[in-house]
Amino acid sequence: MSLDVRGVRREFALLERELGGRPLAYLDAASTAPRPRAVLAAIRAYHEHFTANVHRGVHALAAEASDAFEDARHVVAAHIGASAAELVFTSGTTEAVNLVADALRLRPDDEVLSTCVEHHSNLLPWRRHARVCVLPSLADGRPDLGELARCCTPRTRVLAVHHASNVLGSIAPVRQLSAFARSRGLLTFVDGAQAAGHLPIDVRVLDCDFYAFSGHKVGGPSGIGALYLRQGAQDALDAPRVGGGMVARVEANGCEWKSGVQRFEAGTPNVEGALGLAAALRFLRAQGARAIELHGRGLSRQLLEGCRRLPGVRVLGPTSADERIPLVALALPSSGVDAETVARTLSDAFGVLVSAGRHCAHPLHDQLGVEATLRASAWIHNDEDDIERFLDALAGLLA
Ligand SMILES: Cc1ncc(COP(=O)(O)O)c(C=O)c1O
């Protein structure tokens, strides 16, 4: 079944907004996605009908809020094929990477095997605790599986990889990577920030130990995210933060941690965020994961074909739409206007919203020898007309 894009578009109030008298072509979903009305309604319902803290109170509203929060955990876990007992709410992908990197008891001479494509959030938290070693890439930026054995040493503890790149749009071969990691006794951490809104995900099939994503990139609110902790990997983790909510009992000189995922959720959680995230994922489920994937592939194809026709423009990443999410980063001709100016002009003169810069991936831009890129990233609310408007406007600016 294909995605009902017109119906989907009606669910985004943001698309009613105009810029300079033009409707928005919102092509910046990789930065943050627009929120469907169902998300706004879920947050509002919490504020208007059952505001209460969770797992602390005994009154009726506290029970309702706690039930809704745990129900949200089930929905979020199901989105990635996990069980609720393996799903920790975080503030986003960045916090999730930090949580695992802090909790793993790494030593400074331990090694984390990663790629040069990673977002800073899947690089810097590891660097604080261990030596990060870079797996070489193929020409299109995807990890070179043939180099895995050479790059893995007796000190390698973790393989930390993106599922989809926020610059190249490439989908990494996570199954093959995690199979290698498993055969060498490494733990696999997958940064799913850019994949979770586009691809069907099953952490059991991916066979990773940790999988993280952010609410605001799947239509949920900011400040909420999810972290899958494989049941068998949880014992390898210290609780990185301590305080209320994660202890079963505290005495004058000691305490007993709660068991399970609540051990990793100290303090009052972002209740409305969790409810909003669950509403976003229910909305995605109603559209169908496969339909979303195919819609994305169609937009990818259109973006790739259109961008290839732009004179002097280099399209980064894989050449086939089958290997990508609907996101293209472009190196513009060095003789022309810089990417930031182009992005601002696209916004103000054409109502086309894209991003420009180094997209929190400085090492990748350095390796590619590109100062900055212009990035268009589409999602379920985008149609062919949005992509055409972007391509036409950009062609005009580069002419
Ligand atoms: C691939 C990737 N990883 C991690 C992050 C960080 O996500 P957040 O800022 O929501 O924590 C991003 C955000 O752009 C991303 O694209």
Side-chain angles (χ1 to χ4, degrees):
M1 209 181 66
S2 60
L3 192 74
D4 168 18
V5 189
R6 286 175 79 185
V8 166
R9 285 172 72 83
R10 280 196 294 276
E11 295 302 320
F12 290 90
L14 185 69
L15 299 183
E16 290 164 13
R17 161 107 203 247
E18 296 189 341
L19 256 185
R22 292 168 204 271
L24 291 186
Y26 191 103
L27 288 168
D28 196 20
S31 298
T32 204
R35 284 53 156 164
R37 295 181 201 277
V39 170
L40 315 183
I43 297 170
R44 194 181 176 104
Y46 169 71
H47 289 302
E48 290 186 348
H49 302 301
F50 56 99
T51 308
N53 210 329
V54 294
H55 306 317
R56 289 155 172 79
V58 290
H59 59 72
L61 268 56
E64 279 179 36
S66 299
D67 287 351
F69 184 71
E70 288 310 316
D71 185 45
R73 196 191 299 277
H74 279 90
V75 171
V76 177
H79 182 70
I80 54 171
S83 76
E86 299 167 304
L87 199 289
V88 175
F89 282 117
T90 64
S91 67
T93 307
T94 305
E95 197 209 344
V97 187
N98 275 282
L99 187 156
V100 175
D102 289 350
L104 266 178
R105 306 173 198 137
L106 292 168
R107 295 208 311 250
D109 59 345
D110 282 339
E111 292 175 5
V112 174
L113 186 55
S114 193
T115 79
C116 73
V117 168
E118 304 309 318
H119 187 282
H120 297 161
S121 291
N122 195 26
L123 167 65
L124 300 180
W126 301 112
R127 265 201 203 159
R128 288 177 76 189
H129 297 282
R131 213 161 75 80
V132 174
C133 303
V134 174
L135 180 66
S137 307
L138 301 170
D140 64 8
R142 285 177 302 154
D144 186 349
L145 299 174
E147 292 283 340
L148 273 170
R150 190 180 64 77
C151 294
C152 182
T153 79
R155 296 241 49 91
T156 312
R157 297 261 324 269
V158 180
L159 180 67
V161 289
H162 58 286
H163 193 174
S165 160
N166 68 319
V167 179
L168 304 178
S170 48
I171 300 168
V174 173
R175 271 170 74 175
Q176 290 96 314
L177 288 162
S178 66
F180 172 85
R182 189 75 65 219
S183 73
R184 298 294 179 103
L186 316 179
L187 293 164
T188 304
F189 184 102
V190 183
D191 168 357
Q194 293 296 342
H198 294 286
L199 307 175
I201 294 161
D202 187 330
V203 289
R204 311 253 181 254
V205 174
L206 295 178
D207 196 24
C208 54
D209 298 283
F210 313 110
Y211 192 100
F213 67 97
S214 301
H216 69 103
K217 295 190 200 286
V218 297
S222 308
I224 187 76
L227 169 64
Y228 160 71
L229 299 178
R230 189 173 61 79
Q231 195 99 58
Q234 291 181 15
D235 289 345
L237 303 174
D238 286 329
R241 268 172 294 287
V242 294
M246 51 78 70
V247 274
R249 185 180 166 80
V250 181
E251 288 151 3
N253 293 310
C255 61
E256 186 191 324
W257 308 133
K258 275 188 183 165
S259 59
V261 285
Q262 283 184 22
R263 186 161 66 93
F264 302 99
E265 292 177 350
T268 298
N270 180 353
V271 182
E272 56 268 57
L275 304 184
L277 173 54
L281 298 179
R282 281 194 181 99
F283 179 77
L284 293 189
R285 192 168 62 198
Q287 313 312 319
R290 182 73 181 142
I292 292 172
E293 186 183 22
L294 292 178
H295 173 70
R297 202 168 295 165
L299 297 177
S300 273
R301 204 166 291 125
Q302 193 189 351
L303 276 167
L304 284 176
E305 284 167 10
C307 291
R308 275 192 211 116
R309 286 199 295 269
L310 296 169
V313 166
R314 187 169 140 216
V315 184
L316 307 179
T319 51
S320 162
D322 298 344
E323 288 154 357
R324 312 175 62 115
I325 56 167
L327 172 165
V328 288
L330 308 174
L332 300 181
S334 51
S335 53
V337 200
D338 62 279
E340 281 87 355
T341 308
V342 171
R344 187 68 207 213
T345 311
L346 286 172
S347 139
D348 297 359
F350 299 94
V352 174
L353 304 182
V354 297
S355 58
R358 291 159 80 81
H359 318 291
C360 297
H362 294 185
L364 174 61
H365 280 77
D366 287 344
Q367 172 151 323
L368 294 168
V370 181
E371 188 48 38
T373 49
L374 186 77
R375 183 183 72 183
S377 52
W379 197 43
I380 52 172
H381 62 284
N382 291 117
D383 58 13
E384 292 178 1
D385 190 47
D386 288 337
I387 309 285
E388 261 338 290
R389 281 177 58 199
F390 163 65
L391 293 169
D392 287 351
L394 183 56
L397 292 177
L398 296 177

